[in-house]
Amino acid sequence: MPSFMSYDDCAIWYEETGEGAPLVVLPGGPGMDLRYLGNLGGLDRRLVLADARASGRSGVPADRGTVSFVEQARDLEALRVHLGLEGFELLAHSAGCLTAQEYLAAFPGRVTRTVLVAPVGRAGREPDEAELTELRASRFAEPWYPDAAEADRLLAQGGWSSAELAALQQRILPFFWHRWTEERLAEYPDRYACKHPWLREAFYAGSADPHTLAERVARLSAAGTPVLVVAGAADGMIGTAPARAVAAAHPGSRLEVLAESGHRPWVEQPERFVALVEEFLRADRAG
């Protein structure tokens, strides 16, 4: 599988499947290996999936500051140039939606249509804690709830080692799904996990603060790219509030909240997910 050297000689790994016009795909995490995305529910098109720097099989830069989602938009532009694309369609998941939105603002006109799946926010993480509390509490009748709720409480205390933190995070995974079974654990192989304990902080270093948020959101709103935002109604990882905020930030966008999905709607409602994405992307070609 191919890789290329980005603007600072950091190797960026990407994979291509299918045929036709390219749909460039950014994974989330931050730091997750692109392979967790699978075939995105069976999207029938040419997918170009790229591992972010310091993630998956991409290289680790000498300057950790370049792992910020703001800086990672430059890797996406380098990928466009490497592939020889004048324009392209873009899909991103979770934290990858921050990089995607930054790219739309920093390189206007490059992307024809954008799909943002379970976005974490506009210019940083923006969960509504009250919504998350309500979403998680609503699962009280599930057999896994007592253990997941206890792990959630312990996580809030903080002070855990890396191994303890990983174990607690695994215990709260059921909150992220509409329908949890033990088989869902297969969606989280260790080899796809974030490899670097410093990465999360470095990635979110580009986040807006209360003093800069309005300006950053206005910059996103000016991008003018058609956007489809897809969220899961049962997403107890980030909730639906960030998706609603993201949709409001992009004039003329379309928001779809899938009733029987959590944070990975292409897994839980693949047919509905594929239909939504295909319909949205076809509209560009029909135009």
Side-chain angles (χ1 to χ4, degrees), residues 257-280:
V257 180
L258 304 190
E260 297 183 358
S261 286
H263 197 61
R264 299 186 182 187
W266 68 90
V267 177
E268 297 203 271
Q269 291 186 265
E271 293 181 1
R272 178 63 176 148
F273 177 81
V274 168
L276 281 172
V277 174
E278 294 284 6
E279 176 192 4
F280 176 73

Side-chain angles (χ1 to χ4, degrees), residues 120-225:
V120 299
R122 298 165 295 181
R125 292 185 92 255
E126 297 182 287
D128 181 327
E129 295 300 336
E131 181 195 29
L132 279 180
T133 298
E134 183 178 352
L135 275 171
R136 295 182 179 189
S138 71
R139 313 299 295 275
F140 71 93
E142 301 280 1
W144 48 260
Y145 178 81
D147 183 67
E150 174 67 6
D152 193 26
R153 184 186 67 80
L154 292 172
L155 280 170
Q157 293 179 359
W160 305 103
S161 68
S162 296
E164 292 169 332
L165 184 62
L168 288 171
Q169 289 173 334
Q170 180 168 303
R171 287 168 61 187
I172 67 168
L173 288 176
F175 285 129
F176 303 172
W177 295 81
H178 171 73
R179 185 174 292 106
W180 174 260
T181 66
E182 289 299 315
E183 287 71 25
R184 294 289 190 214
L185 285 173
E187 296 284 334
Y188 300 93
D190 289 343
R191 66 185 183 278
Y192 295 171
C194 179
K195 303 172 183 175
H196 309 290
W198 52 264
L199 189 146
R200 184 179 182 86
E201 182 178 356
F203 180 85
Y204 285 114
S207 299
D209 60 36
H211 303 291
T212 61
L213 181 59
E215 180 182 352
R216 294 276 291 274
V217 172
R219 182 168 167 266
L220 297 181
S221 299
T225 304

Side-chain angles (χ1 to χ4, degrees), residues 15-203:
E15 298 181 357
E16 294 190 67
T17 64
E19 299 178 350
L23 174 63
V24 176
V25 180
L26 304 181
M32 293 283 287
D33 187 298
L34 64 83
R35 287 173 287 186
Y36 83 89
L37 294 166
N39 64 357
L40 287 168
L43 283 175
D44 185 19
R45 56 186 54 243
R46 177 187 170 196
L47 301 179
V48 182
L49 304 99
D51 273 327
R53 56 178 52 214
S55 306
R57 289 162 287 178
S58 286
V60 179
D63 180 1
R64 292 182 181 179
T66 64
V67 176
S68 157
F69 69 83
V70 173
E71 294 299 319
Q72 287 200 36
R74 299 172 67 185
D75 291 329
L76 184 51
E77 175 63 2
L79 175 62
R80 181 194 69 83
V81 172
H82 173 75
L83 295 174
L85 303 176
E86 182 175 347
F88 61 96
E89 297 163 337
L90 178 61
L91 184 149
H93 177 235
S94 193
C97 294
L98 293 175
T99 303
Q101 291 176 94
E102 174 62 24
Y103 184 80
L104 297 181
F107 299 94
R110 303 282 202 271
V111 177
T112 55
R113 288 193 165 241
T114 303
V115 181
L116 302 175
V117 183
V120 299
R122 298 165 295 181
R125 292 185 92 255
E126 297 182 287
D128 181 327
E129 295 300 336
E131 181 195 29
L132 279 180
T133 298
E134 183 178 352
L135 275 171
R136 295 182 179 189
S138 71
R139 313 299 295 275
F140 71 93
E142 301 280 1
W144 48 260
Y145 178 81
D147 183 67
E150 174 67 6
D152 193 26
R153 184 186 67 80
L154 292 172
L155 280 170
Q157 293 179 359
W160 305 103
S161 68
S162 296
E164 292 169 332
L165 184 62
L168 288 171
Q169 289 173 334
Q170 180 168 303
R171 287 168 61 187
I172 67 168
L173 288 176
F175 285 129
F176 303 172
W177 295 81
H178 171 73
R179 185 174 292 106
W180 174 260
T181 66
E182 289 299 315
E183 287 71 25
R184 294 289 190 214
L185 285 173
E187 296 284 334
Y188 300 93
D190 289 343
R191 66 185 183 278
Y192 295 171
C194 179
K195 303 172 183 175
H196 309 290
W198 52 264
L199 189 146
R200 184 179 182 86
E201 182 178 356
F203 180 85

